[in-house]
Amino acid sequence: MIMRPSRRDLLKAGIGIGASLAFPSASLYAATASLIQRKIPSTGESLPIIGIGTARRYEAVRTEAERAPLREVLRQFTALGGKVVDTAPSYGTAEAVVGDLVTDLAIREALFIATKLGARGRDAGAEQLEQSFKRLRTPRIDLVAVHNLQDTQTQLRALRQWKQADRIRYVGITTSFDRQYPEFEQTMKAEMLDFIQVDYALDNRKADQRILPLAADRGMGVMINLPFGRGRLFTAVQGKSLPPWAEEFDCVTWAQFFLKYIVSHPAVTCTVPGTAKAEYLLDNLGAARGRLPDAAMRRRMERFIDAL
Ligand SMILES: NC(=O)c1ccc[n+]([C@@H]2O[C@H](COP(=O)([O-])OP(=O)(O)OC[C@H]3O[C@@H](n4cnc5c(N)ncnc54)[C@H](OP(=O)(O)O)[C@@H]3O)[C@@H](O)[C@H]2O)c1
């Protein structure tokens, strides 16, 4: 059953009543119930299944007016129990914006910050990572993943040394390109990795053929990028109502439909939807509450999207 939070509960969570009235009751429910967690296989540390991605909307932020909504997103995210923030040195201003806002809000301890390394050669990699520490304004980064398999072996070797020195906590690799999947799988087989990050969405399910089962076999955490295929899934359902059976897994918006599909895959640890608006944050966190679709329901969701 979806419980409606009281005005007092919402205020306690720091959610403005004016903004919250614009959302369906189940999104408001997101403000008070705790977020579903999954364990990182290599350590057993728990993470909430919905995080935040910072590509694009955090990339060209210059003015206070541009920062203000992002500050509000990060403030509400941590107030509601969110942890995982994914960024990269190649996302323009994103790392610096995250670092500044996290420092202003004094929320570093509450967060799990993931960034990437996209450089060729050991020196260039070290230089880039030092810059990430400075921009993120933190002495320790939770996860650093080799971005899109750039110079993977050299950078993984270096990242392991940073991990040994306790400057980073977890090591991984990322991709969002099908053409990299064979090399990605090879790397997963050959290397010990805490995390992989890969694209996976209700209408883009290639990763579940081999990569997701392999991650489960190898005991690797899985962070999913592009959960909406940027705008693609929203465009596919434009003008359409949610099927009534979405209620069976406590889903009241399309964003929750797409996200609950992803996080109900047993190999998935979390996903990082690009989130730059507080209204989207509340909506997306709703996917980390209530029931998740079971295997049969997941097939039904696939048939639904494939038929559009
Ligand atoms: N190779 C890699 O390592 C790699 C590659 C790609 C992405 N990533 C990571 O994955 C993250 C996610 O990818 P992405 O941000 O490109 O795409 P995405 O998460 O699939 O989609 C983001 C889009 O969804 C919209 N959105 C978010 N929440 C919504 C909601 N509740 N209702 C309606 N629309 C909503 C946003 O709208 P607005 O534009 O209006 O805000 C944005 O345009 C990135 O931010 C990045 O951290 C990593």
Side-chain angles (χ1 to χ4, degrees):
M1 191 184 70
I2 291 174
M3 305 225 333
R4 284 165 195 268
S6 70
R7 182 188 160 89
R8 220 168 108 219
D9 288 337
L10 288 168
L11 286 172
K12 223 164 67 187
I15 310 298
I17 293 298
S20 59
L21 285 177
F23 296 94
S25 57
S27 291
L28 295 186
Y29 169 69
T32 49
S34 57
L35 304 174
I36 299 169
Q37 315 270 321
R38 289 271 163 71
K39 286 188 163 54
I40 301 170
S42 63
T43 60
E45 177 181 354
S46 292
L47 292 180
I49 57 179
I50 301 293
I52 287 179
T54 63
R56 297 178 326 127
R57 297 287 176 202
Y58 292 66
E59 286 190 19
V61 175
R62 310 276 169 214
T63 65
E64 180 47 34
E66 289 165 337
R67 270 172 192 241
L70 307 179
R71 179 181 288 110
E72 195 48 23
V73 164
L74 285 169
R75 190 186 70 72
Q76 293 192 21
F77 182 61
T78 45
L80 295 169
K83 269 193 183 170
V84 180
V85 176
D86 182 65
T87 188
S90 56
Y91 298 169
T93 55
E95 280 190 333
V97 167
V98 168
D100 291 352
L101 295 179
V102 166
T103 305
D104 288 358
L105 292 163
I107 55 173
R108 175 66 190 95
E109 289 308 310
L111 292 178
F112 182 98
I113 297 182
T115 194
K116 310 190 185 83
L117 182 55
R120 296 218 168 268
R122 207 187 149 81
D123 292 350
E127 203 177 307
Q128 190 183 80
L129 194 53
E130 287 291 7
Q131 193 184 44
S132 292
F133 282 112
K134 282 204 191 93
R135 287 172 166 175
L136 288 166
R137 297 174 65 175
T138 185
R140 212 156 165 236
I141 299 174
D142 296 292
L143 164 62
V144 182
V146 177
H147 203 169
N148 295 334
L149 299 175
Q150 239 192 96
D151 197 14
T152 311
Q153 273 73 36
T154 305
Q155 303 307 343
L156 276 180
R157 251 196 316 277
L159 285 177
R160 290 205 178 93
Q161 287 173 357
W162 289 90
K163 184 177 167 180
Q164 255 174 3
D166 208 23
R167 300 291 308 282
I168 65 181
R169 299 175 59 224
Y170 296 99
V171 167
I173 56 173
T174 81
T175 189
S176 57
F177 301 107
D178 299 5
R179 65 171 187 277
Q180 289 191 326
Y181 282 11
E183 187 187 339
F184 200 78
E185 287 172 46
Q186 280 314 313
T187 309
M188 289 175 70
K189 286 177 187 158
E191 304 278 354
M192 298 287 285
L193 302 168
D194 298 301
F195 265 96
I196 59 151
Q197 185 188 123
V198 67
D199 57 310
Y200 178 52
L202 183 52
D203 66 344
N204 166 30
R205 307 193 293 267
K206 284 184 210 90
D208 74 9
Q209 290 167 11
R210 284 196 304 275
I211 290 178
L212 298 184
L214 184 58
D217 280 357
R218 301 273 296 140
M220 294 171 181
V222 175
M223 188 181 291
I224 297 298
N225 63 41
L226 296 174
F228 302 132
R230 305 229 156 83
R232 196 183 59 233
L233 275 167
F234 292 110
T235 306
V237 296
Q238 210 160 25
K240 295 194 164 50
S241 304
L242 273 176
W245 42 266
E247 276 179 17
E248 293 174 35
F249 53 95
D250 298 327
C251 166
V252 293
T253 66
W254 281 117
Q256 292 171 11
F257 192 86
F258 304 140
L259 294 174
K260 283 198 170 203
Y261 175 78
I262 290 171
V263 295
S264 58
H265 191 293
V268 170
T269 312
C270 63
T271 183
V272 287
T275 310
K277 295 176 186 156
E279 66 197 76
Y280 286 171
L281 174 74
L282 288 185
D283 186 5
N284 296 346
L285 286 180
R289 302 176 197 272
R291 290 166 292 180
L292 294 179
D294 62 13
M297 184 62 85
R298 286 171 51 79
R299 297 292 87 74
R300 191 170 187 181
M301 296 168 87
E302 291 166 4
R303 286 196 300 274
F304 176 87
I305 209 78
D306 291 350
L308 290 178

